[in-house]
Amino acid sequence: MADKPLRILLTPVVRSIPSTLDATPQAFWAMHACGSRPRFTKDEQSFISRQFIKLTDLVNREWDKSSTAPARSMRGLLYKYGQRVLSRIPNEEYLFRDLNALEIKAPTLLYPSSLVEDEVKQFVKTLAIDRRSLHQRMIHGSVAALPFTMLFSIVPILPNIPFAYNCMRLYHHITALSGARKLVDLLDTDRLEYVKSIEIQEVLDSMKDVKVDGFSFMDRETRDEMGKVLDAPDLSKTLQRAVRQLEVRFNVHRKSRSRSGDEVLGKGTDIKG
């Protein structure tokens, strides 16, 4: 199979927002990376790297198996609440973790033809630099928390969930930091090509404008069509996650508005995890 070039796809996930909302349009943009994973020979990877990859695959398989566990069992409850925690991980973090795992070959950023290229470039640069700084800070915090979370091991009846979660998040921040550095390097060396996509624009233009409390989020049909048109099977999942996180932010905003009468939504899409 031929190696695929690296593509970063950018698209808004709303058709319309309340006119009185104090938020930039960029707060409702989502990005997704797709391409080929580098293939290494046994000699090109260290022993530690190979064992770490095997361990990661094993943990992922075991976690997937937990989805079939009885709902009231310990394993079923861990999976249920674990999924809730994972759903709060910012969508941008998934982007940079994917970038870390993909081969940098003929990198291209595709965006709707209705957007202004300078605004897209500024958004991508700001996001990459901000996330690089964030993940550096979070790595330091996770490392500092390791000794404290290890203390939970003194209770032998229960698994050390805080320690396992902290290790998982430490790994996520390390891979996301590597992906952010890759993107910053592409920007600094001017190797990322920006391309206006008529295909993305056509899908957006066909999206139904069904408003809920002034918002018109991207529906499932549009998300699936976007992934099909762009030949990016996982894009629909990324857009669904972005929509859900924005809906959570909007619900919080709506409750606070009902108390204070203030209609201000924080700029950006970070949900710290």
Side-chain angles (χ1 to χ4, degrees), residues 63-108:
W63 183 255
D64 290 339
K65 288 180 183 177
S66 299
S67 63
T68 60
R72 295 181 180 275
S73 67
M74 174 66 76
R75 189 168 183 172
L77 290 173
L78 282 176
Y79 180 80
K80 175 183 176 182
Y81 292 107
Q83 285 296 98
R84 289 187 183 180
V85 172
L86 292 176
S87 69
R88 294 178 58 84
I89 295 176
N91 203 47
E92 297 87 351
E93 183 176 314
Y94 286 92
L95 165 72
F96 291 112
R97 281 160 50 188
D98 287 342
L99 279 175
N100 173 67
L102 296 174
E103 187 175 12
I104 306 298
K105 178 183 178 182
T108 304

Side-chain angles (χ1 to χ4, degrees), residues 41-82:
T41 63
K42 189 174 180 179
D43 295 333
E44 290 175 322
Q45 273 188 318
S46 67
F47 174 79
I48 295 178
S49 296
R50 293 197 302 272
Q51 300 309 311
F52 195 79
I53 291 172
K54 288 181 181 178
L55 178 61
T56 304
D57 290 341
L58 175 63
V59 171
N60 288 335
R61 286 197 301 271
E62 289 300 316
W63 183 255
D64 290 339
K65 288 180 183 177
S66 299
S67 63
T68 60
R72 295 181 180 275
S73 67
M74 174 66 76
R75 189 168 183 172
L77 290 173
L78 282 176
Y79 180 80
K80 175 183 176 182
Y81 292 107

Side-chain angles (χ1 to χ4, degrees), residues 18-182:
S19 58
T20 55
L21 198 66
D22 181 20
T24 63
Q26 289 86 342
F28 302 93
W29 290 2
M31 295 172 66
H32 174 81
C34 52
S36 297
R37 294 178 179 270
R39 292 188 290 271
F40 298 104
T41 63
K42 189 174 180 179
D43 295 333
E44 290 175 322
Q45 273 188 318
S46 67
F47 174 79
I48 295 178
S49 296
R50 293 197 302 272
Q51 300 309 311
F52 195 79
I53 291 172
K54 288 181 181 178
L55 178 61
T56 304
D57 290 341
L58 175 63
V59 171
N60 288 335
R61 286 197 301 271
E62 289 300 316
W63 183 255
D64 290 339
K65 288 180 183 177
S66 299
S67 63
T68 60
R72 295 181 180 275
S73 67
M74 174 66 76
R75 189 168 183 172
L77 290 173
L78 282 176
Y79 180 80
K80 175 183 176 182
Y81 292 107
Q83 285 296 98
R84 289 187 183 180
V85 172
L86 292 176
S87 69
R88 294 178 58 84
I89 295 176
N91 203 47
E92 297 87 351
E93 183 176 314
Y94 286 92
L95 165 72
F96 291 112
R97 281 160 50 188
D98 287 342
L99 279 175
N100 173 67
L102 296 174
E103 187 175 12
I104 306 298
K105 178 183 178 182
T108 304
L109 189 142
L110 303 174
Y111 62 95
S113 55
S114 61
L115 299 183
V116 180
E117 182 171 319
D118 288 342
E119 292 181 358
V120 172
K121 287 183 176 181
Q122 185 59 45
F123 170 77
V124 174
K125 182 177 181 180
T126 302
L127 179 66
I129 294 174
D130 287 351
R131 297 303 297 190
R132 182 182 62 179
S133 300
L134 171 68
H135 292 300
Q136 283 176 332
R137 294 196 305 271
M138 297 303 290
I139 287 172
H140 296 155
S142 294
V143 170
L146 281 175
F148 302 100
T149 54
M150 288 177 67
L151 293 176
F152 286 88
S153 299
I154 62 176
V155 186
I157 342 175
L158 297 175
N160 192 341
I161 298 173
F163 179 72
Y165 175 76
N166 190 48
C167 288
M168 179 191 71
R169 294 301 292 136
L170 175 60
Y171 170 70
H172 287 171
H173 289 304
I174 290 173
T175 53
L177 174 60
S178 177
R181 284 173 171 169
K182 277 187 177 182

